[in-house]
């Protein structure tokens, strides 16, 4: 009996050792990227934790924040995924140089951001009405989202291209690196962009007619840009045709996540470390799932992953990598959220509570999302849709929605135990 137990333990140890040896570089690359992402998410969390004045002064603002953060990751994560796939299969030269294909992708990403910003503003107002929450005017919602989108675009487009090309040039797999780092930068710059857009809104708010004119001109210009981009080439048409409906759904899901957070705003405002944890948890969850989505997408294109009814082979291996990274990252971000609250002199919920909140929420989330991402990838590929345009946006938005729900639920449950 003892010999049999010894053999079982030896077999499990050998299997774990072989798994680590085979996937060592993937885990290291993914972990480094997630830690870089965590730095950006932590700053975003600190900013959000200090945004109580703006959240109180501009009612309903919290509803659009998850959607705005998610939209940056969705659009530029898809952009990076397309670049990654193109670099892998040779459509784009590893030496950075502008080309027609790259220019089309840049223009499409810019237009998508502006169209989705308008829709996100509408969704934010809609959810406030549905939930009977106090809110800003619809025009204010849209202007804040669009101005923040323009600011983010000017920053995120060059960052995305730089990271994609440099990681590939230095021998790193962009699938393991670009999505989390880009998501981290997106999280980092989205909240400052929203704050900047609020100041710009106040600057043009001296006259209602002037603000209305700015709004009308902005909507017309964005509409013309969308039509021109759609007609520009087959590449831009495909990107817009496949991405727009998916991203509209993603914005709706992001608004739903914001609605969930807004409904618990009193709990969040009285527990600053939880408010700080939200961008960290949402960002790391989205980045982790984006790594999985990018790897499955490239695997489907290259034939390493088969779009079967049940995940097998390389897909299951990618699942295991996802769980290993989750077990390492989620306790860490709980520690970072609590430590940052303490360092700023605010009362947190305590390390003994926030670490299990983050870890349990993360494991529940990953257990659900690995299957969601796999089947989205397989179904889109089997229906001749490019997974690069679909998998990351849909999975990241579903992750934002589920992560908010899971995090709030687990937080309330664990906090209630300690009361």
């Amino acid at each position: 009996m003892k010999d049999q137990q010894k053999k079982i333990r030896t077999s499990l140890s050998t299997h774990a050792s072989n798994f680590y040896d085979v996937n060592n570089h993937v885990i290291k690359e993914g972990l480094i990227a997630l830690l870089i992402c965590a730095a950006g998410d932590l700053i975003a969390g600190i900013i959000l934790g200090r945004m109580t004045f703006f959240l109180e002064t501009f009612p309903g603002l919290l509803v659009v924040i998850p959607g705005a953060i998610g939209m940056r990751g969705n659009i530029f994560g898809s952009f990076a995924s397309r670049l990654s796939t193109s670099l892998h299969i040779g459509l784009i030269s590893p030496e950075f140089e502008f080309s027609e294909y790259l220019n089309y992708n840049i223009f499409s990403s810019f237009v998508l951001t502006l169209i989705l910003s308008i829709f996100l503003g509408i969704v934010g107002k809609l959810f406030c009405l549905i939930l009977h929450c106090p809110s800003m005017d619809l025009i204010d919602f849209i202007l804040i989202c669009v101005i923040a989108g323009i600011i983010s675009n000017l920053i995120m487009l060059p960052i995305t291209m730089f990271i994609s090309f440099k990681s590939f040039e230095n021998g790193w797999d962009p699938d393991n690196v670009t999505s989390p780092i880009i998501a981290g930068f997106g999280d980092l710059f989205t909240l400052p962009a929203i704050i900047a857009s609020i100041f710009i809104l106040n600057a043009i708010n001296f006259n209602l007619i002037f603000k209305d004119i700015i709004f009308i001109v902005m909507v017309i210009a964005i509409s013309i840009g969308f039509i021109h981009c759609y007609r520009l080439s087959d590449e831009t048409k495909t990107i817009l045709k496949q991405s727009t409906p998916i991203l509209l759904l993603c914005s709706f899901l992001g608004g739903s996540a914001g609605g969930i957070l807004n409904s618990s705003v009193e709990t969040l405002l009285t527990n600053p470390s939880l408010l700080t944890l939200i961008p960290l948890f949402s960002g790391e969850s989205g980045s982790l799932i984006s790594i999985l989505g990018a790897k499955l997408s490239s695997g489907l294109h290259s034939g390493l992953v088969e779009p079967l009814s049940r995940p097998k082979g390389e897909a299951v291996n990618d699942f295991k990598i996802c769980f290993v990274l989750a077990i390492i990252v989620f306790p860490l971000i709980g520690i970072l959220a609590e430590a940052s609250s303490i360092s700023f002199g605010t009362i947190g919920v305590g390390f003994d509570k926030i670490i299990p909140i983050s870890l349990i929420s993360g494991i529940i989330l990953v257990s659900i999302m690995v299957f969601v991402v796999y089947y989205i990838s397989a179904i889109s590929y089997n229906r001749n849709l490019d997974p690069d345009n679909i998998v990351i946006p849909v999975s990241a938005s579903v992750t934002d929605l589920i992560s908010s729900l899971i995090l709030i639920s687990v937080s309330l449950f664990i906090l209630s135990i300690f009361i």
Side-chain angles (χ1 to χ4, degrees):
M1 184 66 177
K2 289 183 178 179
D3 290 340
Q4 185 179 3
Q5 290 177 340
K6 185 176 181 181
K7 287 180 180 178
I8 291 172
R9 285 196 296 268
T10 303
S11 175
L12 290 173
S13 177
T14 302
H15 179 74
S17 177
N18 289 339
F19 170 78
Y20 181 76
D21 289 340
V22 172
N23 299 285
N24 180 26
H25 71 288
V26 178
I27 294 172
K28 284 183 177 179
E29 288 179 6
L31 185 58
I32 291 171
L34 287 170
L35 291 176
I36 294 173
C37 176
D41 292 331
L42 177 60
I43 297 173
I46 292 171
I47 293 171
L48 182 58
R50 314 292 287 185
M51 277 182 66
T52 52
F53 169 77
F54 294 103
L55 296 177
E56 292 169 355
T57 308
F58 295 88
L61 183 63
L62 186 59
V63 178
V64 299
I65 285 177
I69 291 174
M71 184 171 63
R72 308 295 177 257
N74 293 338
I75 292 175
F76 294 105
S78 293
F79 178 40
S81 185
R82 288 194 296 271
L83 292 182
S84 174
T85 299
S86 300
L87 287 166
H88 277 301
I89 63 179
L91 280 178
I92 295 179
S93 170
E95 298 179 3
F96 178 77
E97 54 185 26
F98 285 101
S99 63
E100 195 173 67
Y101 178 85
L102 182 58
N103 291 338
Y104 289 156
N105 273 272
I106 293 171
F107 188 36
S108 300
S109 298
F110 199 96
V111 169
L112 280 170
T113 300
L114 300 184
I115 287 291
L116 266 295
S117 296
I118 294 176
F119 185 73
L120 180 61
I122 296 171
V123 168
K125 181 64 176 180
L126 179 63
F127 270 99
C128 287
L129 294 174
I130 292 173
L131 298 173
H132 303 289
C133 300
S135 64
M136 302 174 277
D137 292 336
L138 176 61
I139 291 179
D140 291 343
F141 267 109
I142 294 176
L143 285 174
I144 287 174
C145 291
V146 171
I147 294 170
I150 293 172
I151 295 170
S152 297
N153 254 336
L154 296 175
I155 299 171
M156 289 303 299
L157 277 169
I159 287 176
T160 302
M161 289 185 288
F162 179 81
I163 293 173
S164 297
F165 280 92
K166 281 297 180 182
S167 62
F168 191 86
E169 181 182 317
N170 292 322
W172 288 48
D173 186 348
D175 287 336
N176 301 329
V177 177
T178 53
S179 293
I181 293 179
I182 288 164
F185 276 109
D187 296 350
L188 174 61
F189 291 116
T190 295
L191 291 177
I194 288 175
I195 294 173
S197 69
I198 290 173
F199 283 110
I200 294 173
L201 176 64
N202 284 335
I204 64 175
N205 211 18
F206 66 91
N207 185 289
L208 291 178
I209 296 177
F210 180 75
K211 185 176 76 171
D212 290 344
I213 291 173
I214 293 290
F215 172 74
I216 292 169
V217 170
M218 186 179 289
V219 171
I220 292 173
I222 293 171
S223 301
I224 292 172
F226 181 84
I227 294 169
H228 175 68
C229 185
Y230 190 84
R231 295 176 176 175
L232 185 61
S233 70
D234 290 337
E235 177 66 24
T236 55
K237 182 177 181 179
T238 299
I239 293 172
L240 293 184
K241 191 175 181 180
Q242 293 186 7
S243 297
T244 302
I246 296 299
L247 290 171
L248 290 175
L249 172 63
C250 294
S251 292
F252 186 81
L253 293 175
S256 302
I260 292 170
L261 295 178
N262 200 58
S263 65
S264 304
V265 67
E266 291 183 6
T267 301
L268 295 172
L269 291 177
T270 54
N271 293 283
S273 55
L274 288 181
L275 200 57
T276 302
L277 181 60
I278 287 171
L280 270 167
F281 186 80
S282 176
E284 291 298 287
S285 300
S287 297
L288 190 58
I289 297 305
S290 293
I291 290 175
L292 177 62
K295 289 183 71 63
L296 290 174
S297 179
S298 292
L300 287 165
H301 280 294
S302 62
L304 290 174
V305 174
E306 295 184 62
L308 305 173
S309 57
R310 292 179 60 186
K312 294 181 180 180
E314 188 65 23
V316 174
N317 189 65
D318 291 339
F319 288 5
K320 293 177 182 178
I321 293 171
C322 202
F323 276 104
V324 170
L325 292 172
I327 292 170
I328 298 171
V329 166
F330 284 113
L332 176 61
I333 64 173
I335 294 171
L336 288 174
E338 186 69 17
S340 67
S341 295
I342 294 172
S343 65
F344 280 96
T346 56
I347 300 174
V349 298
F351 289 106
D352 59 326
K353 303 179 190 69
I354 203 163
I355 292 174
I357 285 173
S358 184
L359 177 59
I360 294 170
S361 300
I363 295 300
I364 293 172
L365 176 72
V366 171
S367 299
I368 296 170
M369 287 307 302
V370 290
F371 293 102
V372 172
V373 175
Y374 175 79
Y375 286 112
I376 292 173
S377 303
I379 291 170
S380 61
Y381 188 82
N382 284 331
R383 295 190 176 182
N384 295 320
L385 298 173
D386 188 350
D388 287 328
N389 295 332
I390 295 171
V391 176
I392 288 180
V394 174
S395 59
S397 295
V398 174
T399 300
D400 288 342
L401 175 59
I402 296 178
S403 67
S404 298
L405 182 60
I406 292 174
L407 183 61
I408 294 297
S409 301
V410 172
S411 298
L412 293 175
F413 176 74
I414 290 180
L415 290 176
S416 67
I417 293 176
F418 285 89
I419 291 176

